[in-house]
Each structure stands twice: as structure tokens, then as C-alpha cells.
Amino acid sequence: MAQGVSRSQEYYWRNPEKYRAGARKCRKNNPDKYKSYVRKYREKNPERERARHLMREYGITLAEYDAMLVQQGSVCAICKQPETQERNGVKYSLAVDHCHKTGKVRGLLCFKCNSAIGSFEKRNVPISNIERSEEHTSELQSLAYLVCRLLLEK
């Protein structure tokens, strides 16, 4: 056995399919125990979970998210305000705005602007239908225009 490697790690590397099959069986037979384990793991490793979420959903690393946050001055790309939405006394982080067709990340948005854009998408108002004037040349500026229109309608 290699130095610093446990027996279970060594077994896993020698028998990965057999190990995974056993893990699947254990999850299936003990769903509550598995859910409890996952919940505890996520509470214990929030940064790792955040990094996994960003990579899985948007294809960006935590470092790339942080760089975007610094580039935007820690404010929303549309309204230029910091995030104010809270849950259980903890402030939300800025949401990653992305194109659902291409997956391209456009910027970081506050909860309100992100929700407003989502409202447009639910109404089937595609960004391409918005007339772009010279002052609204970029896709994100067009989104800002959409948000302003939505807020004025209310």
C-alpha cells in the first residue's frame, strides 16, 4: 500500500466499477442516510459545493466568478447596485446571467434584475426582438433595456 493512501482509496483505484456499484447499492438501500451525508458534506464544504455548482451549471470556475465580480465592482451588471436580497440573514451572491441557448455567460446580476429577465423569458420575449438603438449595442445593455421596460410596466 502506498504511503498516505488508505485501504479504501487503494481498493477504489484498483476496482472503480465494483466500488461505484457498491456505492449505488448503498445509496438505493439507505436513501435517508445518503441524503443526510450529502447535506452534512455540503454544509461542511460550502466553497467546494459552490465551485462544483458554477462549473456544472455555467462552465466557469470559482476564480473566474471572482474575477467577474471584481471586474464589475461587486455590483449588478444592469442596475449597478450591490445585492440586497437575503435569506436567513445571509446575503445572496450575484447570479450568473447566461444565454440559455448558447450557455455563454454574460455577467453577474442581482436577484431583482435576474428575476426581471426571467419574467421576460417566461413571457417569450426573446432578446433578439428588442430594437437595439446605438446606446443599447451589447447583449447585456439590451437586457438592461428589457428590465427597465418590465419595471415600467408594473
Side-chain angles (χ1 to χ4, degrees), residues 78-96:
I78 292 177
C79 68
K80 307 298 184 205
Q81 298 296 314
E83 180 61 80
T84 57
Q85 192 74 20
E86 290 184 7
R87 183 184 214 177
N88 298 327
V90 178
K91 212 175 259 191
Y92 281 23
S93 55
L94 291 174
V96 178

Side-chain angles (χ1 to χ4, degrees), residues 71-83 108-110 113 140-141 144:
Q71 183 183 12
Q72 287 182 204
S74 298
V75 296
C76 174
I78 292 177
C79 68
K80 307 298 184 205
Q81 298 296 314
E83 180 61 80
L108 303 177
L109 304 180
C110 68
C113 290
L140 202 51
Q141 287 171 326

Side-chain angles (χ1 to χ4, degrees), residues 35-107:
K35 286 177 186 174
S36 174
Y37 167 78
V38 169
R39 190 178 310 110
K40 287 176 186 174
Y41 177 84
R42 288 180 178 164
E43 287 172 3
K44 194 174 173 183
N45 301 288
E47 286 299 308
R48 181 178 257 176
E49 282 303 305
R50 177 99 172 115
R52 279 186 62 230
H53 169 75
L54 290 170
M55 183 55 72
R56 184 180 62 244
E57 296 295 321
Y58 312 111
I60 63 172
T61 65
L62 191 54
E64 290 170 322
Y65 177 90
D66 291 340
M68 289 172 59
L69 193 62
V70 169
Q71 183 183 12
Q72 287 182 204
S74 298
V75 296
C76 174
I78 292 177
C79 68
K80 307 298 184 205
Q81 298 296 314
E83 180 61 80
T84 57
Q85 192 74 20
E86 290 184 7
R87 183 184 214 177
N88 298 327
V90 178
K91 212 175 259 191
Y92 281 23
S93 55
L94 291 174
V96 178
D97 178 45
H98 64 289
C99 175
H100 287 253
K101 289 183 181 176
T102 65
K104 179 185 172 201
V105 174
R106 297 183 285 227

